[in-house]
Amino acid sequence: MVIPVFNGAGTVAEVVRRSREVLGGCAGGHEFILVNDGSSDSSWERIVELAESAGDVRGVDLSRNYGQHNALLAGIRAARCDLVLTIDDDLQNPPEEIPKLLDSLGPGCDVVYGEPIAKQQGLGRRLATRAVVRALKVLGGETAPMVSSFRVFRTSLRDGFVSYTGPDVSIDGLLTWQTERFRSVPVRHDPRQHGESNYSLVKLIRHALTMITAFSTRPLRIATSLGFFVILFGVAVLAYVLVRFFTEGNGVPGFPFLASIISIFSGAQLFAIGVIGEYLARMHVRVMSRPSYLVRAEVGGNGGRAAAAEGLDGHDGICRILDWDSEFWGFPIARVVPERVDVATAEQVERWCEGHGIACAYLLAGADDAETAAAAEGVGFTPVDTRVTLERPGGPLAAESRPVDGMEIRPAEARDEAALASLARQAHTDTRFFFDPHFSSPRAAELYAAWVRRGLAEDPFRVFLAERDGGPAGYILVKTDPLEIDLIAVEEASRGDGIGRALVAEAIGVSPNDTVRVVTQARNVPALRLYESCGFRVVKTEAWYHRWG
């Protein structure tokens, strides 16, 4: 849960308490990220108290007031769970409605908004909000059909805008970059308990302008169309004047007529210049490289670690430490968050890794991104692998393609753990860990055994085991929400007999109407051929880089 806090000292503790009670019954684990957005009251002191008294609370203190969406971006980048839920600190969205959002976030959906049944706001605020929303739709401010600050979405969507910079932020606009699978659910909306709304009409209009000019080019098209129609109108007026001159022998009398025409043309020109100027202003601000936010301090999560406000902290969008990888390998491992880096960003990554004692840093970048490759290699990154992402649209795979010669596919059970681990140790030797000499090959093989064991024991994973003549012949590890194939392996003596295709069909059958995604290596040609024969198509090719300290 990410909660932006602005002068919310009187309510933030209550929001956390009620949310904790609700999440205890509907979530396997949770954390609270409270972002103090330059409050003038004692909000930060209350956040520090909450973080010091409970291990599930982390606090982020911004250096000044940046605005609700900028504060949300800071919290979203700090999130570590699979889902991110945002809620205001004013208790108008009651935490007791959270299960409705979580229950609606099923297959085929990436973002769920809470739609108030009846908004507890003044008439002026409701009318202003409605006018702004309609203006956004007309002028191309791209958002979901219904948006609100009470939302839940998959944290993986964050990867698409993790390198976004600039002071103009709209979380809803950024989410529309990543998905079209939105949903809304009716929720209760309570009266405000403390203070007044910080959204005035001026702020609403300013946010609408941000949405329109930062995430849409439709106003430029409108200005172009207006100029075209004004030209047509001018031509029509000229034709009228000429026809009257030649037919009646005199011109069009009257100063008012001439003044009206000049006013129309001048107004159209000023409108077009104003629209272009608004876009130029946005470009000017971006060129100045003003940050979306600056963190003054953090508390909780990592033992009350203070954050140096340099944009180099592990929760500020540069790098993040990978806890599971670090624990498995026995030394600190981190991943670079942006997929595109320039020379300056690469140098920041280098300083961050050295400052945090990172043994190995991963970077995943576009395979054709020459600028990132040059910048990364300049600070010690080495290319080790090419990752290929494939997708298959919904629809079952033909069942008649499955082999029938003594093979059976069934859900794996705890008793199959040893057989699955043994197969995993032998089947994934074409991955990047085996091609980087810094990693021990036996330990790399054990990594995939641990991966399968974790999938066997945890949600939302499912493992299917293929047996042939009473022995294990292959397995497939599937993540069900959203539907993804994590690992697939076929025992060497059984390859080429159709077992891989049968396992893929079993994975697709988990949710046959949903899009299925899978990631593999470019050097794994048999796997690529298997997936393409099952209807998968390549959607992305990326390069893995490793940097050793």
Side-chain angles (χ1 to χ4, degrees), residues 206-407:
R206 187 181 302 158
H207 179 63
L209 284 174
T210 296
M211 285 290 300
I212 293 167
T213 56
F215 297 93
S216 171
T217 57
R218 188 175 295 176
L220 289 174
R221 297 193 184 101
I222 292 175
T224 302
S225 301
L226 179 63
F228 176 75
F229 283 112
V230 168
I231 290 173
L232 290 181
F233 179 74
V235 170
V237 171
L238 177 61
Y240 170 69
V241 171
L242 292 175
V243 168
R244 181 161 178 170
F245 176 78
F246 286 114
T247 57
E248 300 181 7
N250 59 357
V252 179
F255 174 77
F257 181 82
L258 182 61
S260 299
I261 298 301
I262 293 174
S263 298
I264 291 173
F265 276 82
S266 300
Q269 289 174 339
L270 289 174
F271 175 78
I273 291 172
V275 171
I276 295 171
E278 187 69 27
Y279 278 89
L280 287 174
R282 301 287 177 193
M283 293 172 60
H284 174 66
V285 171
R286 292 295 295 273
V287 168
M288 289 192 299
S289 298
R290 287 177 57 191
S292 304
Y293 56 87
L294 195 65
V295 176
R296 176 183 289 121
E298 292 186 31
V299 65
N302 290 312
R305 173 179 52 83
E310 301 174 335
L312 302 180
D313 183 75
H315 301 300
D316 268 350
I318 297 296
C319 296
R320 65 172 181 267
I321 294 176
L322 303 178
D323 295 332
W324 193 87
D325 295 61
S326 301
E327 181 179 354
F328 178 85
W329 290 105
F331 44 76
I333 294 179
R335 177 172 173 179
V336 180
V337 175
E339 292 191 358
R340 297 181 62 89
V341 299
D342 53 19
V343 172
T345 305
E347 291 173 351
Q348 286 184 327
V349 170
E350 182 180 35
R351 294 197 300 271
W352 188 94
C353 291
E354 291 173 355
H356 288 73
I358 301 301
C360 181
Y362 305 154
L363 168 64
L364 184 64
D368 58 350
D369 189 346
E371 180 185 4
T372 294
E377 291 176 12
V379 295
F381 281 92
T382 302
V384 293
D385 200 0
T386 302
R387 187 174 91 158
V388 181
T389 303
L390 305 97
E391 284 187 354
R392 180 186 186 277
L397 188 62
E400 62 270 14
S401 63
R402 300 186 181 186
V404 295
D405 53 342
M407 189 205 70

Side-chain angles (χ1 to χ4, degrees), residues 45-178:
E45 287 75 12
R46 293 292 297 130
I47 291 172
V48 171
E49 292 174 6
L50 290 168
E52 291 177 346
S53 63
D56 60 352
V57 176
R58 296 159 60 200
V60 178
D61 187 27
L62 302 187
S63 60
R64 66 172 179 84
N65 177 247
Y66 287 89
Q68 182 188 44
H69 286 253
N70 299 62
L72 281 170
L73 182 61
I76 290 167
R77 284 177 171 167
R80 297 179 293 193
C81 297
D82 291 334
L83 302 179
V84 173
L85 191 146
T86 68
I87 190 172
D88 288 343
D89 65 345
D90 56 13
L91 286 173
Q92 287 200 271
N93 290 119
E96 290 74 19
E97 300 288 88
I98 289 174
K100 292 183 179 179
L101 270 65
L102 297 180
D103 290 343
S104 298
L105 191 69
C109 180
D110 293 320
V111 185
V112 177
Y113 287 97
E115 182 175 2
I117 298 172
K119 284 193 173 183
Q120 301 298 317
Q121 296 172 340
L123 177 62
R125 168 65 189 277
R126 293 202 305 272
L127 292 176
T129 301
R130 190 172 301 171
V132 167
V133 170
R134 289 186 177 177
L136 282 172
K137 291 181 179 179
V138 172
L139 296 176
E142 296 181 4
T143 63
M146 189 281 149
V147 299
S148 75
S149 57
F150 191 31
R151 59 175 85 76
V152 63
F153 60 91
R154 304 185 193 283
T155 308
S156 57
L157 297 181
R158 172 184 63 189
D159 294 341
F161 55 85
V162 73
S163 59
Y164 179 85
T165 59
D168 300 321
V169 178
S170 169
I171 297 302
D172 304 304
L174 293 174
L175 289 174
T176 59
W177 289 1
Q178 315 312 316

